[in-house]
């Protein structure tokens, strides 16, 4: 292959010999294909918490498209995830033998505290032959496993989903216990999806970190699997095919049916192909479909995972795509772009409901003023402080009142001698004050109490950088930022001229 005639791009390994021959330096652009954002130990522990967890298995038209280019391209409307606070594990999937995640997905996931797995898959008759070669001896199996570990370490991701979807000789089954694997082959070597956890796949579960159960399980399956798994029930991921192929509950916007059944039994869940929202329907409104989809998921699943669990923490709310590029609030390039490696930590919020009007070629807000909160927050690509997007806070706040929007759940210790917080915003209408409020929960002597620390800024200037210091007065007091960071717009009776009570929703600030 002449690598110099095309841009650098991530690619899978197609054959067993290619896997066994792999060494660092095989590809002249390998350094560009490595992740640059590491997952911290604190983030890793949060993703492995003893509770029902959510795994996303990403398969979008077989993958390796715009997302495979480490230097990005101009496909600003390409699929991306921003709902990371609801996700515990991300798997990059294709039907190639060894699927190596592109650095953009690794960097974006790690920036949001989510570990990333590649995929090793064998299928059908060709897969049986490959497994016979790979698993012929314990040494050959160990050599393959070592290569997979080396590849993950070199490219900077966190492990593998092992998916064996073909018969395996019975005498070779002991060598499979080296792998984490998908529910397909039984302990007898027969290709037979169990659709649950039982004695036929228990040997693999016992040797692995977790098991991914096939999608075609029935209503009572989660309780049965939980009883078999016992204390490790959180390591059982009930598969849910978003395309709805024989999936309990039907998939699509009804994925919450299957997730509710899994969570009710204390099990985890694995969503396969959530890029369904991008692949079906009108491409112009896929972001709203994605928001509708994740609202269904979030309504039935665990509370958002704490994204802020270590310091320092910094975000510009960039999604890894945009219609232009900004630097320190100044437009530097008016050109669409896509590069997931640029994505910064994403807020835990719900976008305002909109609908796409093809005749006006624009999005329109739906709903009535009566059922809307005073303020809402959304990701905005119309302008940015850094790169391609920012957080837009909009609404109508009555004089003398205040309203808040949750941005980031947090769980960390406030260090000594204190905590410095800074934010930058630009008002797009006159108002008196913007405040970033940090809600802290203090625990000491078997009692707890809440308190708020506030960084405020006047809207008199076009942009503002402000900071606040919070001190933990007693070293023995554990201060956990467990609840939330809140962006709060405050309008008083002394509001600036031009702000009238009850005006229509419009942007009031952009962070």
């Amino acid at each position: 292959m002449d690598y110099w005639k095309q841009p650098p791009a991530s690619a899978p390994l197609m054959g067993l010999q290619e896997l066994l021959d792999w060494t660092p330096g095989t590809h002249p652009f390998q350094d560009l294909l490595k992740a640059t954002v590491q997952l911290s130990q604190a983030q890793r522990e949060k993703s492995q918490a003893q509770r029902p967890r959510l795994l996303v298995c990403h398969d979008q038209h077989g993958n390796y498209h715009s997302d495979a280019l480490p230097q990005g391209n101009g496909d600003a409307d390409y699929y991306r995830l921003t709902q990371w606070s609801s996700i515990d594990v991300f798997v990059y999937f294709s039907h190639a033998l060894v699927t190596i995640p592109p650095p953009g997905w690794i960097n974006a996931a790690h920036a949001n505290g989510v570990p990333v797995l590649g995929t090793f898959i064998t299928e059908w008759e060709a897969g049986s032959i490959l497994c016979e070669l790979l698993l012929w001896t314990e040494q050959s199996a160990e050599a393959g496993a070592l290569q997979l570990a080396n590849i993950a370490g070199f490219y900077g991701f966190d492990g593998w989903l092992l998916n064996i979807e073909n018969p395996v000789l019975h005498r070779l089954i002991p060598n499979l216990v080296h792998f984490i694997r998908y529910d397909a082959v039984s302990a007898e070597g027969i290709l037979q999806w169990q659709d649950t956890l039982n004695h036929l796949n228990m040997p693999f579960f016992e040797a692995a970190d977790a098991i991914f159960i096939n999608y075609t399980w029935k209503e009572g399956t989660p309780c049965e699997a939980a009883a078999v798994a016992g204390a490790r029930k959180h390591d059982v991921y009930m598969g849910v095919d978003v395309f709805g192929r024989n999936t309990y509950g039907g998939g699509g916007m009804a994925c919450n049916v299957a997730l509710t059944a899994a969570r009710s039994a204390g099990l985890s869940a694995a969503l396969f192909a959530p890029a369904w929202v991008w692949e079906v329907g009108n491409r112009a409104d896929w972001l709203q479909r994605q928001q509708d989809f994740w609202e269904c998921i979030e309504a039935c699943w665990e509370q958002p995972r704490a994204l802020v669990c270590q310091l320092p923490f910094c975000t510009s709310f960039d999604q890894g795509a945009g219609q232009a590029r900004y630097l320190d609030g100044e437009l530097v390039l008016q050109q669409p772009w896509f590069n997931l490696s640029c994505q910064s930590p994403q807020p835990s919020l719900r976008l305002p409901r909109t609908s796409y009007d093809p005749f006006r070629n624009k999005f329109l807000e739906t709903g009535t003023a009566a059922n809307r909160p005073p303020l809402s927050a959304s990701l905005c690509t119309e302008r940015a402080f850094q790169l391609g997007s920012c957080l837009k806070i909009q609404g109508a706040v009555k004089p003398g009142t205040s309203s808040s929007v949750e941005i980031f759940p947090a769980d960390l210790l406030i260090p000594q001698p204190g905590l410095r917080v800074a934010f930058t915003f630009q008002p797009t209408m006159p108002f008196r004050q913007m405040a970033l409020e940090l809600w802290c929960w203090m625990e000491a002597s078997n009692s707890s109490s809440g308190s708020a620390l506030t960084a405020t800024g006047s809207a008199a200037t076009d942009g503002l950088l402000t900071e606040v210091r919070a001190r933990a007065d007693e070293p023995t007091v554990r201060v956990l930022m467990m609840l939330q960071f809140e962006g709060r717009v405050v309008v008083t009776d002394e509001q600036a001229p031009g702000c009238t009570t009850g005006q229509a929703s419009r942007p009031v600030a952009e962070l």
Side-chain angles (χ1 to χ4, degrees):
M1 180 182 294
D2 191 346
Y3 294 107
W4 304 100
K5 292 184 178 181
Q6 53 192 348
S10 296
L13 305 181
M14 303 304 295
L16 179 59
Q17 197 59 49
E18 191 176 3
L19 168 63
L20 297 177
D21 290 344
W22 179 89
T23 58
T26 303
H27 193 297
F29 299 124
Q30 271 189 339
D31 284 344
L32 288 176
L33 306 178
K34 295 162 62 174
T36 56
V37 180
Q38 295 182 344
L39 193 68
S40 71
Q41 185 59 36
Q43 292 170 322
R44 196 179 303 276
E45 290 172 357
K46 294 295 180 187
S47 70
Q48 297 171 347
Q50 290 305 303
R51 53 169 173 74
R53 301 185 289 267
L54 187 63
L55 178 151
V56 162
C57 191
H58 174 58
D59 179 8
Q60 181 183 3
H61 289 314
N63 278 333
Y64 293 110
H65 303 296
S66 292
D67 59 343
L69 304 173
Q71 295 169 310
N73 65 5
D75 194 0
D77 202 37
Y78 196 72
Y79 178 77
R80 54 194 179 270
L81 274 170
T82 57
Q83 292 80 10
W84 292 106
S85 62
S86 297
I87 300 169
D88 296 289
V89 184
F90 178 85
V91 178
Y92 195 77
F93 182 92
S94 81
H95 287 277
L97 177 65
V98 179
T99 300
I100 301 172
W105 279 113
I106 305 172
N107 289 332
H110 283 183
N112 288 277
V114 177
V116 177
L117 307 182
T119 305
F120 177 89
I121 185 172
T122 63
E123 299 177 282
W124 315 120
E125 183 178 354
S128 293
I129 296 172
L130 190 146
C131 283
E132 189 171 339
L133 294 171
L134 178 64
L135 305 174
W136 189 252
T137 66
E138 185 174 328
Q139 290 73 24
S140 64
E142 189 67 31
L146 181 60
Q147 283 293 78
L148 292 178
N150 289 337
I151 290 170
F154 179 80
Y155 288 106
F157 59 100
D158 308 289
W160 297 91
L161 170 70
L162 285 229
N163 188 352
I164 310 300
E165 298 205 42
N166 50 258
V168 177
L169 292 176
H170 186 268
R171 76 168 189 83
L172 301 180
I173 293 301
N175 294 327
L176 277 178
V177 299
H178 292 289
F179 302 127
I180 178 172
R181 57 175 306 285
Y182 170 85
D183 165 44
V185 176
S186 73
E188 298 171 348
I190 301 171
L191 177 59
Q192 184 178 25
W193 290 269
Q194 300 302 305
D195 299 334
T196 188
L197 180 66
N198 59 26
H199 69 283
L200 291 175
N201 52 21
M202 179 59 80
F204 305 112
F205 179 57
E206 291 175 341
D209 296 308
I211 189 168
F212 185 149
I213 301 299
N214 190 44
Y215 319 111
T216 55
W217 47 272
K218 307 302 180 186
E219 182 177 4
T221 304
C223 290
E224 297 170 0
V228 174
R232 288 192 62 198
K233 62 184 180 180
H234 301 319
D235 297 329
V236 178
Y237 289 81
M238 303 302 292
V240 182
D241 185 354
V242 180
F243 278 86
R245 293 161 289 201
N246 299 316
T247 285
Y248 175 68
M253 293 296 179
C255 283
N256 58 312
V257 175
L259 265 65
T260 298
R263 183 177 180 233
S264 296
L267 303 182
S268 296
L271 282 174
F272 182 79
W276 168 84
V277 299
W278 187 90
E279 295 187 47
V280 302
N282 186 342
R283 192 66 54 78
D285 60 358
W286 79 267
L287 282 169
Q288 184 57 52
R289 264 196 311 282
Q290 170 147 285
Q291 185 59 31
D292 292 343
F293 175 78
W294 281 98
E295 281 186 1
C296 292
I297 302 303
E298 292 163 350
C300 72
W301 202 245
E302 297 288 301
Q303 291 297 310
R305 173 177 44 82
L307 283 176
V308 186
C309 55
Q310 66 175 12
L311 297 174
F313 175 80
C314 179
T315 184
S316 64
F317 305 102
D318 184 71
Q319 302 176 59
Q323 298 301 322
R325 286 180 183 264
Y326 291 81
L327 178 64
D328 295 337
E330 299 293 331
L331 177 65
V332 294
L333 181 64
Q334 186 70 58
Q335 181 176 316
W337 64 277
F338 173 85
N339 190 333
L340 285 175
S341 288
C342 296
Q343 189 178 102
S344 59
Q346 295 297 295
S348 175
L349 52 83
R350 295 185 177 182
L351 303 180
R353 186 171 297 276
T354 62
S355 61
Y356 181 71
D357 185 337
F359 298 102
R360 302 186 193 180
N361 192 31
K362 64 185 296 187
F363 290 94
L364 304 175
E365 281 195 34
T366 60
T368 63
N371 59 24
R372 289 185 199 144
L375 291 177
S376 64
S378 62
L379 294 171
C380 170
T381 58
E382 297 170 1
R383 63 183 304 158
F385 181 69
Q386 301 287 2
L387 297 175
S389 56
C390 65
L391 184 69
K392 177 189 288 186
I393 299 174
Q394 62 183 10
V397 183
K398 294 181 180 181
T401 67
S402 66
S403 182
S404 63
V405 179
E406 181 182 347
I407 301 175
F408 288 108
D411 187 353
L412 51 79
L413 297 174
I414 291 183
Q416 296 286 348
L419 177 68
R420 175 177 294 177
V421 179
F423 67 98
T424 303
F425 74 97
Q426 185 169 29
T428 55
M429 62 171 283
F431 67 95
R432 182 173 176 79
Q433 190 178 63
M434 164 77 81
L436 178 67
E437 199 161 78
L438 309 180
W439 281 91
C440 302
W441 202 256
M442 303 181 67
E443 295 182 345
S445 304
N446 298 320
S447 63
S448 60
S449 61
S451 62
L453 310 166
T454 307
T456 62
S458 166
T461 59
D462 208 23
L464 178 70
L465 179 68
T466 186
E467 67 181 43
V468 64
R469 280 185 175 271
R471 297 186 64 91
D473 296 328
E474 298 293 334
T476 58
V477 175
R478 187 167 183 240
V479 183
L480 287 175
M481 300 175 66
M482 295 175 59
L483 299 183
Q484 58 196 36
F485 287 1
E486 292 184 340
R488 175 169 292 183
V489 172
V490 180
V491 178
T492 70
D493 288 329
E494 301 173 351
Q495 61 184 356
C499 274
T500 59
T501 303
Q503 65 189 95
S505 293
R506 54 186 292 204
V508 293
E510 294 171 346
L511 296 173

